[in-house]
Amino acid sequence: MNEEHKLLAISMGDAAGIGPEIIVRALAGGEAGRCVVVGDVGVLRRAVRQCGLLTPVAVLDEPTDAAPPDCVPVWQPPGLPPGLAEAPMGVVQAAAGGAAARCIEAAAALALDGRAAALVTAPIHKEALAAAGVPYPGHTEMLQALAGGPPVRMMLANPELRVVLVTIHVALKRAIELLDFDAVLSTLRITQAAARAWGLERPRIAVAGLNPHAGEGGLFGDEERRFIAPAIAAAVAEGIDARGPFAPDTVFMRARSAPDHPGEFDVVVAMTHDHGLIPVKYLGVDDGVNVTLGLPFVRTSPDHGTAFDIAGRGGADAGSLRAAIRMARALAR
């Protein structure tokens, strides 16, 4: 089957954010290939109006039904709260958080049972999830649970830099408490397996330290000596091309691959959320894609949030979502 004809499931995200807007922009014109939006029909129709588009919204009885050309195909899963399309934009709402979670569950089910080749998720709001009583802080943890609990890691990637995180959505103090030999080694194994699936037989993996100057021999912290370096050595013994730990303030520059500057590494493993994501996002969000490694299906998303400050104005940039759709198709091959 032609790759563009394989079905991608796109979850709606938070109805009060820019997710529906960037979805309709990305799908208008049909360049995204065969997709189904798992979401609220009224919300997607509102997004079309907000963006000033004339693209029709096609309502599918089943997610795998054929859709007319040049439309936004929407399958509305059962269990969504009523009135979402009349709710205010840019405001944390329990109903929107609950609807976002339901759409994620339904879309993930399509990927898990093979009806969708990959899952692309639009942005959600963590406060709205919590207000709805959803027991997960974000997509990664929710999808991990829905898939049965496999070890997973978050990667943010753009054409210049790929970064995989050991810890993600927890307070910095808690993240440091969660770091240990097993966490680092598991991340290196997951990164190696994922990179091989992309076609990199022996990916060059750089490991960023936790402390300034990677601890400076223990002067600024001993985590590098106690468990980061030993985990790297264990990975090397397994045949993984892992190197480091390197100073976090320089390793990303070394790994960045630009037309006039090929990177020294294919991917960087970072210990905490902001350590790893700030360098990628600094390079620009338009081409950035969030990928969950370790799931039994491909999942990608834009590398930005719900942007409540501009939601409903119709001016949101769909570049990162388009990049997420392209990467989902590439990885699903």
Side-chain angles (χ1 to χ4, degrees):
M1 179 184 293
N2 185 293
E3 296 299 330
E4 300 304 309
H5 292 290
K6 290 184 177 180
L7 182 67
L8 298 188
I10 304 176
S11 60
M12 175 181 70
D14 193 296
I18 64 169
E21 294 175 52
I22 61 175
I23 288 172
V24 299
R25 285 199 179 279
L27 299 190
E31 293 86 357
R34 188 181 175 215
C35 300
V36 60
V37 182
V38 180
D40 183 271
V41 172
V43 168
L44 273 300
R45 284 179 171 155
R46 178 177 69 175
V48 170
R49 295 193 299 271
Q50 289 167 337
C51 292
L53 299 173
L54 299 177
T55 310
V57 172
V59 182
L60 305 185
D61 293 328
E62 296 293 333
T64 55
D65 286 350
D70 300 328
C71 71
V72 177
V74 180
W75 173 63
Q76 181 164 317
L80 296 187
L84 281 175
E86 286 72 49
M89 301 294 300
V91 180
V92 173
Q93 299 159 78
R102 177 68 192 108
C103 290
I104 294 166
E105 293 169 353
L110 299 179
L112 281 166
D113 66 17
R115 285 184 287 171
L119 168 62
V120 180
T121 60
I124 56 176
H125 200 289
K126 293 174 175 55
E127 288 184 46
L129 287 185
V134 177
Y136 306 106
H139 277 114
T140 304
E141 298 86 352
M142 184 185 304
L143 294 170
Q144 178 184 34
L146 292 171
V152 299
R153 293 295 186 272
M154 175 180 175
M155 180 181 78
L156 202 64
N158 62 31
E160 299 179 73
L161 187 62
R162 301 183 186 102
V163 177
V164 178
L165 305 177
V166 180
T167 64
I168 48 171
H169 300 125
V170 294
L172 181 57
K173 180 180 179 180
R174 179 59 179 153
I176 295 172
E177 294 170 348
L178 291 172
L179 291 170
D180 58 20
F181 174 91
D182 290 336
V184 176
L185 180 56
S186 177
T187 304
L188 291 169
R189 289 169 172 163
I190 292 170
T191 302
Q192 166 87 346
R196 282 184 168 175
W198 312 327
L200 296 173
E201 180 58 31
R202 188 170 171 78
R204 303 165 298 166
I205 304 172
V207 180
L210 172 67
N211 297 296
H213 303 181
E216 196 72 76
L219 292 176
F220 305 144
D222 65 354
E223 286 85 356
E224 285 79 10
R225 291 197 303 181
R226 282 194 296 113
F227 59 81
I228 298 177
I232 295 170
V236 170
E238 295 179 7
I240 298 172
D241 185 4
R243 312 174 204 178
F246 298 111
D249 60 351
T250 57
V251 68
F252 299 100
M253 292 184 288
R254 295 173 60 185
R256 181 186 180 190
S257 181
D260 59 344
H261 179 270
E264 294 180 44
F265 309 106
D266 298 305
V267 61
V268 179
V269 167
M271 297 297 120
T272 68
H273 183 279
D274 286 6
H275 249 176
L277 299 196
I278 288 173
V280 186
K281 293 193 175 187
Y282 179 77
L283 294 174
V285 299
D286 289 351
D287 294 319
V289 178
N290 180 357
V291 184
T292 304
L293 309 183
L295 291 172
F297 55 86
V298 171
R299 177 261 171 164
T300 68
S301 77
D303 76 344
H304 58 73
T306 52
F308 273 0
D309 57 326
I310 64 169
R313 300 180 189 175
D317 190 331
S320 186
L321 180 64
R322 291 190 180 100
I325 291 171
R326 290 193 300 269
M327 184 170 288
R329 290 211 178 276
L331 296 180
R333 297 188 183 112

